[in-house]
Amino acid sequence: LPAANMKYESELFDIYKQILLDKYYQTDSNKYMPVDMYRNIIIQAVKMKELRWLEEFIEEYGGQIHPGRKTDIINYSYAYLRFEQGNFDEALKWLSKIRMEEFTYHLDIRSLYIMTYYELGDLETAYSAANAFNKYLKTNAMVSPEKRIGSENLCKYVIKLINYNNTNSRTDLSTLTVRLNKCKNINPRIWLLSKVNDLDRSVKRAV
């Protein structure tokens, strides 16, 4: 991340820590942690690469979510954590525990499934999941335009990465990097760029 962005992200992470310390998320009528806040803190911890802190956060605060909502978000948070730790098999196990028909954050879970399959080298399943996600986005009117575009871009570039070994539909890696950097709405840009770099290194080693 650019230095200015990193400063902002670091300050935001410190604010979340203070909110947790002082329990500002609690009110007289509600002692549970809001699921949206819990999710945002997970994402922020990952941005800051604070994975050990994140594991402790899940263990301490997962139980403070409303009983009717905590199971799936905890499963998702462990899946995300294991993914970031590079333990992709474990990430897939945690993902499989989530009840897709009830989980609020369908976009999060579908995106993580695609990236996990890709990391495991199961490119056929990743390709199918990306296409299925695209269809879901086109037919679900509840998805906001901004989130739809960001998720569609993820699917588009994952498919380009998968197709890279197909000489009939190969996109130049330097062109992919330029397009990813210019793309205004894409999730998650940093992961996609790292996968392009991985391919670039493998090509150079093969030469």
Side-chain angles (χ1 to χ4, degrees):
L1 288 173
N5 287 2
M6 199 62 197
K7 184 176 184 294
Y8 166 79
E9 300 294 356
S10 180
E11 289 175 352
L12 180 57
F13 190 48
D14 287 341
I15 290 171
Y16 279 133
K17 285 181 176 180
Q18 195 63 47
I19 289 172
L20 295 174
L21 184 64
D22 294 329
K23 299 187 184 298
Y24 287 141
Y25 58 88
Q26 294 183 343
T27 65
D28 291 337
S29 60
N30 182 26
K31 300 300 181 184
Y32 296 115
M33 172 172 284
V35 176
D36 286 347
M37 178 182 290
Y38 181 90
R39 171 184 175 271
N40 290 341
I41 292 173
I42 291 169
I43 293 171
Q44 201 62 29
V46 167
K47 285 182 180 178
M48 301 304 300
K49 302 298 181 186
E50 293 278 359
L51 301 186
R52 183 176 295 179
W53 182 93
L54 176 55
E55 186 140 26
E56 293 173 355
F57 166 77
I58 296 169
E59 291 171 359
E60 182 174 354
Y61 290 94
Q64 297 191 32
I65 298 171
H66 190 281
R69 303 194 67 190
K70 71 179 182 181
T71 301
D72 284 332
I73 190 65
I74 290 173
N75 287 337
Y76 171 74
S77 58
Y78 274 118
Y80 197 8
L81 174 62
R82 299 302 176 231
F83 177 88
E84 290 295 327
Q85 290 172 330
N87 194 338
F88 305 117
D89 286 314
E90 277 296 310
L92 204 56
K93 288 178 183 177
W94 284 102
L95 284 170
S96 69
K97 296 179 181 183
I98 300 171
R99 298 165 296 175
M100 281 287 285
E101 71 278 4
E102 296 183 22
F103 190 57
T104 306
Y105 303 104
H106 278 191
L107 306 190
D108 291 346
I109 184 71
R110 286 175 179 268
S111 297
L112 192 52
Y113 258 119
I114 292 167
M115 293 187 295
T116 303
Y117 286 134
Y118 184 92
E119 292 284 9
L120 286 169
D122 189 352
L123 301 186
E124 185 176 342
T125 305
Y127 188 90
S128 297
N131 279 325
F133 194 13
N134 264 326
K135 290 179 182 177
Y136 171 84
L137 292 166
K138 285 179 171 59
T139 58
N140 194 318
M142 298 296 291
V143 180
S144 69
E146 182 180 2
K147 289 184 177 180
R148 177 179 288 106
I149 292 170
S151 298
E152 285 175 345
N153 282 332
L154 168 65
C155 294
K156 179 175 76 173
Y157 283 103
V158 165
I159 289 172
K160 285 182 181 296
L161 290 172
I162 293 170
N163 284 340
Y164 183 76
N165 290 317
N166 181 348
T167 55
N168 295 323
S169 56
R170 178 177 291 186
T171 302
D172 179 72
L173 292 178
S174 60
T175 301
L176 266 183
T177 300
V178 170
R179 289 177 181 175
L180 279 168
N181 281 316
K182 285 185 176 180
C183 190
K184 294 181 179 179
N185 187 348
I186 189 165
N187 296 315
R189 186 194 314 275
I190 293 174
W191 178 80
L192 286 164
L193 285 169
S194 74
K195 296 305 104 182
V196 174
N197 289 334
D198 288 347
L199 283 174
D200 189 42
R201 283 194 295 268
S202 66
V203 169
K204 288 177 179 176
R205 284 196 300 267
V207 173

